[in-house]
Amino acid sequence: QVQLVESGGGLVQTGGSTRLSCAASGSIFSINFMGWYRQAPGKQRELVATITNGERINLADSVKGRVTISRDNAKNTVNLQMSSLKPEDTAVYYCYVEVVLTTGHSTAYQYWGRGTQVTVSS
């Protein structure tokens, strides 16, 4: 009922920057939360950044000062601008949304993107 298309990422040098984008489409009435999580090899998936429909932002301590998250409610997109990248930022980055569907019910559902790889070379 909701599709997420992620773009961006790839191979970046230490200290470099990259931008991730995610577009949500489908039976969307409203999106409560949008954001990004990441999972490095052998590690659990962890929060990177989220933003609410009221523009309240939550950032992981490990990325504070290096990451900017923004959303476009008209386009149902969320962007993650990352700078001063470090090798430990290497991971698969997953788009996450919490959506209220156009079904007339107020229940919010969580959806995940397929992930996009960010590799930071040392």
Side-chain angles (χ1 to χ4, degrees):
Q1 290 173 306
V2 174
Q3 296 78 42
L4 300 178
V5 177
E6 299 153 323
S7 60
L11 180 62
V12 186
Q13 290 186 336
T14 296
S17 300
T18 194
R19 179 182 174 90
L20 306 181
S21 297
C22 175
S25 62
S27 304
I28 299 171
F29 176 74
S30 64
I31 304 180
N32 297 335
F33 287 89
M34 304 188 83
W36 295 89
Y37 285 70
R38 68 185 181 187
Q39 187 167 18
K43 295 187 177 181
Q44 291 187 331
R45 191 172 297 188
E46 63 178 8
L47 167 75
V48 178
T50 60
I51 182 169
T52 69
N53 53 7
E55 304 288 332
R56 182 170 296 179
I57 292 172
N58 184 29
L59 299 175
D61 289 341
S62 60
V63 301
K64 284 181 179 177
R66 303 188 295 120
V67 160
T68 301
I69 186 170
S70 61
R71 63 185 282 175
D72 185 330
N73 292 325
K75 297 180 179 179
N76 290 334
T77 58
V78 59
N79 300 305
L80 187 73
Q81 180 70 43
M82 299 189 292
S83 59
S84 301
L85 286 166
K86 307 173 184 180
E88 50 264 44
D89 293 317
T90 295
V92 178
Y93 285 70
Y94 295 91
C95 178
Y96 163 83
V97 297
E98 184 181 283
V99 174
V100 176
L101 302 176
T102 56
T103 57
H105 301 292
S106 60
T107 303
Y109 295 90
Q110 299 176 355
Y111 294 89
W112 293 89
R114 293 186 176 184
T116 185
Q117 178 71 45
V118 174
T119 302
V120 183
S121 63
S122 56

